[in-house]
């Protein structure tokens, strides 16, 4: 949904809020009334458009290029730390 620009309504379990960021809304897992109210929120074309922009922005955090770059930096800094700690 993030990469398609679709607003997200997700239960507030595990890391859903972290993943969707400002690109959607969460609701308590077993609360159908709150879910219904959140769903009504997206009926407005203005709200759908606003969240569509936010989902595309949020999806950039999960692009393969971004993830690969973060891992490369992590490995590089870890390698440097290990190398520095073994110098006498």
């Amino acid at each position: 949904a993030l990469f398609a620009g679709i607003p997200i309504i997700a239960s507030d379990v595990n890391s859903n809020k972290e993943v969707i960021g400002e690109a959607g809304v969460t609701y308590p897992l077993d609360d159908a009334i709150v879910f219904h109210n959140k769903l009504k929120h997206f009926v407005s074309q203005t709200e759908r458009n606003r969240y569509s922009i936010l989902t595309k922005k949020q999806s950039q955090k999960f692009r393969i290029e971004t993830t690969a770059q973060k891992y490369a930096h992590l490995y590089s800094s870890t390698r440097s730390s290990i190398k520095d700690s073994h110098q006498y």
Side-chain angles (χ1 to χ4, degrees), residues 17-88:
K17 185 61 178 170
E18 178 185 354
V19 171
I20 65 172
E22 295 180 12
V25 295
T26 59
Y27 66 93
L29 180 60
D30 293 323
D31 195 332
I33 294 170
V34 173
F35 174 75
H36 179 258
N37 290 334
K38 301 282 183 168
L39 190 58
K40 286 193 317 186
H41 179 72
F42 290 118
V43 171
S44 157
Q45 184 66 39
T46 303
E47 283 303 304
R48 283 197 311 272
N49 290 343
R50 186 171 79 82
Y51 277 98
S52 179
I53 292 166
L54 292 170
T55 58
K56 290 175 184 175
K57 181 180 175 185
Q58 182 71 5
S59 72
Q60 297 305 305
K61 295 178 182 179
F62 300 99
R63 293 181 64 227
I64 189 68
E65 297 85 359
T66 305
T67 303
Q69 186 178 42
K70 287 179 181 179
Y71 272 109
H73 177 73
L74 175 65
Y75 292 145
S76 177
S77 63
T78 302
R79 183 174 168 230
S80 295
S81 295
I82 292 171
K83 186 177 179 181
D84 292 343
S85 70
H86 285 89
Q87 290 182 355
Y88 294 59

